[in-house]
Amino acid sequence: MHADEQSRTTKAVDATQLLRDDFRRRLELFYARLKLAPPYHTIEKAIASLSTALNAMTPEERERTAEDPARQWAQYRAAFIQSGLSMKHRGIIAGLVRARRTGDLPPEFQPFLDAFIS
């Protein structure tokens, strides 16, 4: 393996870990701000789903995703839905969304909230 290939591989692995950690942090914040107990088993499924999607990408795609918030949120939302997180606490969260009582969640969390009303 050439030095530049090894560097790209290392960056891709770092990007995967960075995105996994960021996703976990965002999920923790999501449930904390909504004052709901996080469904830990399903959160682990969501992180595994994100990892699978990231590993299916080329190293360049992973790097682009790590650098682009819109791409990140597209991957986070897909993992959120695919893992079944959008089915946990569904009635409670859908009610909060409809009543516009989602606490002080930053606007970037809208992709998660939308999953409960679509």
Side-chain angles (χ1 to χ4, degrees):
M1 183 180 291
H2 293 81
D4 59 331
E5 280 183 51
Q6 188 171 7
S7 175
R8 274 196 304 257
T9 301
T10 301
K11 282 183 182 178
V13 170
D14 291 345
T16 299
Q17 190 59 50
L18 175 86
L19 290 165
R20 285 171 47 97
D21 292 347
D22 183 58
F23 186 45
R24 181 183 299 278
R25 207 171 27 258
R26 290 179 187 277
L27 289 172
E28 290 169 356
L29 180 64
F30 180 77
Y31 287 101
R33 296 270 175 100
L34 293 178
K35 296 178 176 48
L36 294 170
Y40 293 108
H41 177 73
T42 312
I43 285 176
E44 293 307 317
K45 279 178 62 177
I47 292 167
S49 178
L50 176 65
S51 294
T52 299
L54 293 171
N55 289 332
M57 294 178 181
T58 66
E60 294 79 16
E61 287 176 307
R62 278 194 294 275
E63 286 179 47
R64 280 195 305 271
T65 300
E67 295 168 358
D68 181 354
R71 286 177 184 256
Q72 291 169 20
W73 277 100
Q75 291 299 317
Y76 295 167
R77 177 181 162 83
F80 189 84
I81 292 169
Q82 190 173 38
S83 68
L85 277 174
S86 62
M87 301 308 285
K88 305 290 181 176
H89 301 303
R90 186 166 186 84
I92 295 167
I93 296 173
L96 291 171
V97 171
R98 281 190 213 98
R100 299 188 191 277
R101 295 181 47 219
T102 55
D104 54 351
L105 273 175
E108 65 260 19
F109 282 85
Q110 198 61 47
F112 289 171
L113 295 172
D114 289 346
F116 291 94
I117 55 173
S118 58

